[in-house]
């Protein structure tokens, strides 16, 4: 996540071209593989075991390594070894910038300080960003102290990161009373906590995200893409509802729905977060309370 957020910032500031950033990402990717890929290549897990853990992540809000240890496929020591091989995202990305000759270490330090000052982030928040700690990163961008908003956004971004594309960037959420889009996938839930959660974007953008989620190339129509996005939203809300049930909160999920050919979410003030992944852009919308309409 750090690499995409900072890469986007460097593009916006004119410090890198798209071609230069693409070359940096290629070096970065060559030095940082997925944990499951490393585990299989190191013969610490089988392909079947890695695929099982990947599937479990769609139903459990846990990291690959933690699930592998719980299942007995890895020991804590083996997990630590694999994490050391995977490398730190912040270090591999900044090293790639220097390796390509686009920036010096002094330049990197200066741009990080500039970013921190511009975004008004604390040292603790910058450390969370560098460590790709999604639980701590998301509230930096929500712009609210509301615990439910922050938690729902956490589940949304964590699962897009885990299940769709780890090369994910987000922007600061903003407040809106209505938001329109070409395609909308959404779900309403009610009970002790009521909310509407939606993904909004252009058809071609959501198709890219859908392919990232399903890992299939069959996504060719609006309906295919939105079906996949509805499934993703249902996964996000299901994990959130399960977590809240452990705390004594009852939540009932309605079936997810989608709208094509332009729709609108309107109601009381809610929050909208821009999301960038799979080479696409979408909006993650979270509206607390029941005074929301989708049409």
């Amino acid at each position: 996540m750090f690499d995409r957020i900072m890469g986007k910032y460097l593009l916006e500031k004119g410090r890198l071209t798209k071609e230069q950033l693409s070359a940096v990402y290629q070096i970065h990717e060559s030095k940082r593989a997925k944990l499951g890929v490393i585990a299989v290549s190191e013969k610490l897990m089988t392909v079947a075991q890695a695929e099982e853990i990947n599937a479990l992540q769609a139903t459990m809000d846990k990291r690959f390594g933690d699930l592998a240890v719980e299942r007995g496929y890895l020991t804590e020591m083996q997990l630590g070894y694999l994490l050391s091989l995977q490398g730190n995202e912040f270090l591999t990305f900044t090293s790639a910038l220097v390796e390509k000759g686009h920036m010096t270490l002094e330049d990197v330090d200066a741009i990080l300080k500039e970013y921190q000052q511009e975004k008004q982030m604390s040292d603790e928040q910058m450390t969370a960003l560098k460590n790709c700690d999604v639980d701590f990163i998301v509230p930096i961008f929500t712009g609210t102290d509301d615990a439910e908003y922050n938690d729902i956004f956490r589940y949304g971004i964590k699962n897009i990161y885990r299940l769709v594309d780890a090369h994910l960037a987000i922007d600061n959420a903003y407040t809106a009373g209505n938001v329109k889009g070409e395609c909308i996938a959404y779900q309403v839930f009610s009970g002790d906590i009521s909310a509407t959660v939606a993904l909004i974007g252009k058809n071609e953008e959501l198709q890219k995200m859908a392919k990232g989620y399903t890992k299939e190339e069959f996504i060719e129509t609006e309906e295919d893409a939105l079906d996949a996005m509805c499934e993703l939203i249902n996964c996000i809300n299901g994990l959130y509802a399960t977590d809240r049930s452990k705390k004594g909160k009852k939540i009932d999920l309605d079936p997810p729905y989608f709208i094509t050919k332009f729709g609108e979410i309107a109601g009381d003030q809610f929050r909208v977060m821009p999301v960038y992944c799979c080479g696409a852009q979408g909006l993650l919308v979270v509206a607390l309370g029941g005074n929301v309409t989708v049409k």
Side-chain angles (χ1 to χ4, degrees):
M1 184 177 287
F2 171 87
D3 63 326
R4 260 48 186 185
I5 290 175
M6 191 53 59
K8 183 174 179 293
Y9 182 74
L10 291 170
L11 280 178
E12 291 171 351
K13 292 297 179 179
R15 298 298 298 270
L16 292 179
T17 65
K18 289 183 178 180
E19 292 75 18
Q20 289 172 330
L21 183 59
S22 177
V24 168
Y25 282 150
Q26 287 179 8
I27 295 175
H28 172 62
E29 289 303 306
S30 70
K31 295 180 178 179
R32 185 175 171 82
K34 289 186 177 181
L35 202 63
V37 173
I38 301 173
V40 172
S41 67
E42 289 293 306
K43 302 190 185 307
L44 293 178
M45 291 178 66
T46 66
V47 172
Q49 289 171 340
E51 290 178 346
E52 177 190 340
I53 298 301
N54 286 330
L56 281 174
Q57 285 193 292
T59 60
M60 302 177 73
D61 184 37
K62 293 184 178 181
R63 293 176 295 186
F64 182 97
D66 294 334
L67 284 170
V69 171
E70 285 182 10
R71 291 279 164 169
Y73 297 150
L74 294 175
T75 66
E76 291 286 355
M77 185 175 294
Q78 288 171 330
L79 175 58
Y81 168 68
L82 293 175
L83 289 172
S84 71
L85 292 179
Q86 186 181 43
N88 178 278
E89 184 176 289
F90 162 70
L91 293 176
T92 55
F93 178 69
T94 53
S95 294
L97 286 171
V98 175
E99 183 177 331
K100 290 297 293 181
H102 300 315
M103 304 181 96
T104 65
L105 288 174
E106 290 76 15
D107 292 333
V108 171
D109 185 60
I111 200 72
L112 289 174
K113 289 178 180 177
E114 176 187 316
Y115 178 84
Q116 181 176 358
Q117 183 175 18
E118 184 175 315
K119 301 298 183 180
Q120 298 182 323
M121 294 169 61
S122 67
D123 290 342
E124 182 181 14
Q125 289 172 327
M126 277 300 293
T127 298
L129 183 60
K130 291 176 183 178
N131 291 336
C132 202
D133 192 330
V134 181
D135 281 321
F136 284 95
I137 290 172
V138 172
I140 299 172
F141 291 87
T142 59
T144 179
D145 293 326
D146 188 291
E148 295 305 332
Y149 265 119
N150 280 325
D151 280 346
I152 296 172
F153 272 118
R154 273 195 190 100
Y155 276 93
I157 297 304
K158 282 171 67 176
N159 284 286
I160 293 172
Y161 178 83
R162 292 190 303 115
L163 303 175
V164 181
D165 187 7
H167 304 312
L168 169 70
I170 56 178
D171 264 339
N172 290 331
Y174 55 89
T175 301
N178 65 59
V179 60
K180 298 178 181 179
E182 181 179 338
C183 298
I184 301 176
Y186 71 99
Q187 185 174 41
V188 176
F189 60 80
S190 57
D192 293 326
I193 303 169
S194 298
T196 300
V197 178
L199 278 167
I200 300 178
K202 295 180 180 178
N203 171 41
E204 60 267 25
E205 303 290 286
L206 293 187
Q207 282 193 28
K208 293 176 184 177
M209 294 175 67
K211 289 177 181 178
Y213 177 58
T214 62
K215 307 298 186 287
E216 300 285 350
E217 290 297 320
F218 71 90
I219 304 293
E220 296 179 352
T221 68
E222 289 180 336
E223 289 75 14
D224 288 339
L226 288 166
D227 271 338
M229 292 298 94
C230 283
E231 183 182 332
L232 174 62
I233 291 172
N234 190 57
C235 174
I236 290 167
N237 291 336
L239 290 169
Y240 173 78
T242 299
D243 175 74
R244 286 301 181 266
S245 70
K246 295 175 183 177
K247 300 175 182 178
K249 301 287 187 180
K250 187 177 186 304
I251 294 176
D252 297 314
L253 301 178
D254 288 354
Y257 296 97
F258 63 76
I259 294 174
T260 63
K261 307 304 180 187
F262 291 96
E264 177 183 14
I265 298 177
D268 293 336
Q269 297 288 290
F270 48 83
R271 302 203 69 75
V272 182
M273 179 178 286
V275 176
Y276 309 88
C277 65
C278 302
Q281 175 181 351
L283 298 175
L284 177 60
V285 177
V286 178
L288 287 176
N291 190 23
V292 177
T293 58
V294 184
K295 58 184 180 179

